[in-house]
Amino acid sequence: MSVTLEDARRVIAAAEKRADEIGQPMNIAVVDAGGNLVAHVRQDGAWIGSVEISISKAWTSKAFDISTKDLGDNSQPTQQFFGIQNTNHGRVAIFAGGVPLSRDGKVVGAVGVSGGSGEQDQTVAEAGAAGF
Amino acid sequence: MSVTLEDARRVIAAAEKRADEIGQPMNIAVVDAGGNLVAHVRQDGAWIGSVEISISKAWTSKAFDISTKDLGDNSQPTQQFFGIQNTNHGRVAIFAGGVPLSRDGKVVGAVGVSGGSGEQDQTVAEAGAAGF
Amino acid sequence: MSVTLEDARRVIAAAEKRADEIGQPMNIAVVDAGGNLVAHVRQDGAWIGSVEISISKAWTSKAFDISTKDLGDNSQPTQQFFGIQNTNHGRVAIFAGGVPLSRDGKVVGAVGVSGGSGEQDQTVAEAGAAGF
Amino acid sequence: MSVTLEDARRVIAAAEKRADEIGQPMNIAVVDAGGNLVAHVRQDGAWIGSVEISISKAWTSKAFDISTKDLGDNSQPTQQFFGIQNTNHGRVAIFAGGVPLSRDGKVVGAVGVSGGSGEQDQTVAEAGAAGF
């Protein structure tokens, strides 16, 4: 119960389609049940600083079985997880763009998107997850 | 005056019991007087991102002889320890779930729990400490 | 197809039994199919510097589906993998003590042992793997 | 003059074809002229420890405009670059599997492959580069 390369490519294709629609080039990463990278693409013109962020978002989303947007809401100052962003050697991303991939009600992987606004990253990640 | 492996197992058993009661699988870690890991368990289904956080919470709690919840209250923006979460190479956890283990009024170790909400982590950690 | 906490405890018990026989306290760590820690124990008196090494050995053994002893033979100067010890941010251990855990001919996890000579670490790790 | 995502996919397809021929699942990464990741795939069953190594090999190959195999020959004890593997925060890979991608006599990117023996990684990387 994990994510195959074929699964990851399907997720990435769905995410790329959405990125093209909104006209914002993106980094898109997919991780498996163990949080390990299965595939990554950087669309032409997408930010180079977002390579690692896309991977971190995917890892974070699987690591805590939650979207990074929701985790972020809980990681603001005074919130219950404030400080989680300093753990795990900088791999925890707490802003929109990481979305779990589920099968039979179980999180088996995640997709992470980075390259635009939080709203843009989120819609592309959700499109990717829908493609799963 | 420290924590033996037998002590750690008793703490972990008490914490696991509480985690089972509340139905939330957890990572549970115990460190000794030197802040060094004595034992760790990840219950089946617990978040993989919480492995390191449970260890960080235990380390932090012993490192400053305080619960991570109380440290967190003092580490919010404008508070006296704001920024402590960026020290010690990312090992400082400032949210609930790390609780000192004391003997004869002296902190001799700590337990760290991660895998649920702040409230859940805290109650499991306290149950673990009570088992000490 | 991975390693449960119950599996990990069985592996650790078998490894501890062997460590007691040879009279050398050990750190013993077990990781699952994704390379993520399932459980760790440090026996009383075992080296604190070996906490991380035991976890690194387990991770390395699963990460490359090989014993760290065999990987080490291939990572000496002029050998084909020389330099692998500098990758993955210091998590790659290339000396004896990490052994894969297999089920139905597939590596589904690993055990890592550190606390004695290479020979001692290896025999304890093998005993742990046999307990799986 | 760099590497587009389309270029990277062509390189990866050629590398995957060769990996399939030799029956060894691989991690394959492509970087552009800036050394930044363009695309990565992990074939089903390939080592998780090789995710980062494939990226490091690609980065290293472009970073020094040389194959990692040739760099490795110069990085053994007593050789002129011994120690280079400890620089750049662990991103320098000095064993076979990283090959430059050239256009009009200029290195404009690189492909990195990890998942088998040095010989296997090298033949897959060369097949990928030939696909460029």
Side-chain angles (χ1 to χ4, degrees), chain C residues 6-87:
Chain C
E6 192 183 322
D7 290 331
R9 281 182 159 139
R10 205 170 53 246
V11 168
I12 287 173
E16 279 196 271
K17 186 166 175 293
R18 184 76 185 119
D20 291 347
E21 283 167 10
I22 65 173
Q24 185 66 23
M26 293 287 185
N27 279 270
I28 306 157
V30 175
V31 301
D32 67 11
N36 295 297
L37 189 63
V38 180
H40 163 271
V41 303
R42 173 160 54 97
Q43 295 187 290
D44 297 341
W47 300 331
I48 56 176
S50 284
V51 172
E52 189 168 312
I53 294 176
S54 66
I55 298 172
S56 291
K57 284 181 182 173
W59 180 82
T60 300
S61 184
K62 175 61 200 85
F64 302 105
D65 291 357
I66 194 175
S67 75
T68 55
K69 187 172 184 297
D70 288 345
L71 183 65
D73 289 342
N74 284 289
S75 304
Q76 301 302 312
T78 77
Q79 298 305 305
Q80 63 173 337
F81 293 143
F82 179 61
I84 199 171
Q85 57 269 51
N86 300 108
T87 68

Side-chain angles (χ1 to χ4, degrees), chain D residues 29-118:
Chain D
V30 175
V31 300
D32 66 11
N36 297 297
L37 189 64
V38 180
H40 162 271
V41 302
R42 173 160 54 99
Q43 295 187 289
D44 296 342
W47 300 331
I48 56 178
S50 284
V51 171
E52 190 167 312
I53 295 177
S54 66
I55 298 172
S56 291
K57 284 181 181 173
W59 180 83
T60 300
S61 185
K62 175 63 200 84
F64 301 106
D65 291 356
I66 193 175
S67 75
T68 56
K69 187 171 184 297
D70 288 346
L71 183 66
D73 289 342
N74 284 288
S75 305
Q76 301 300 315
T78 78
Q79 298 304 306
Q80 63 174 334
F81 293 144
F82 179 60
I84 200 170
Q85 58 269 46
N86 300 109
T87 69
N88 284 279
H89 306 281
R91 299 179 76 192
V92 178
I94 56 162
F95 44 117
V99 173
L101 300 176
S102 299
R103 189 170 279 150
D104 303 332
K106 198 172 165 357
V107 178
V108 295
V111 57
V113 173
S114 181
S117 67

Side-chain angles (χ1 to χ4, degrees), chain A residues 63 77-78 80-81 86 88-89, chain B residues 47 49 52 76 85-86 95 116 118:
Chain A
T78 76
Q80 64 174 336
F81 293 143
N86 300 109
N88 284 283
H89 305 282
Chain B
W47 301 331
E52 190 168 312
Q76 301 299 314
Q85 59 268 46
N86 301 109
F95 45 117

Side-chain angles (χ1 to χ4, degrees), chain B residues 36-96:
Chain B
N36 297 296
L37 190 64
V38 180
H40 162 273
V41 302
R42 174 159 54 98
Q43 294 187 291
D44 296 342
W47 301 331
I48 56 177
S50 284
V51 172
E52 190 168 312
I53 294 176
S54 66
I55 299 172
S56 291
K57 284 181 181 172
W59 180 83
T60 301
S61 184
K62 176 62 200 84
F64 301 105
D65 290 357
I66 194 175
S67 75
T68 55
K69 188 171 183 297
D70 288 345
L71 183 67
D73 289 341
N74 284 287
S75 305
Q76 301 299 314
T78 77
Q79 298 305 306
Q80 62 175 335
F81 293 144
F82 180 59
I84 200 170
Q85 59 268 46
N86 301 109
T87 68
N88 284 280
H89 306 281
R91 299 178 78 191
V92 178
I94 56 163
F95 45 117

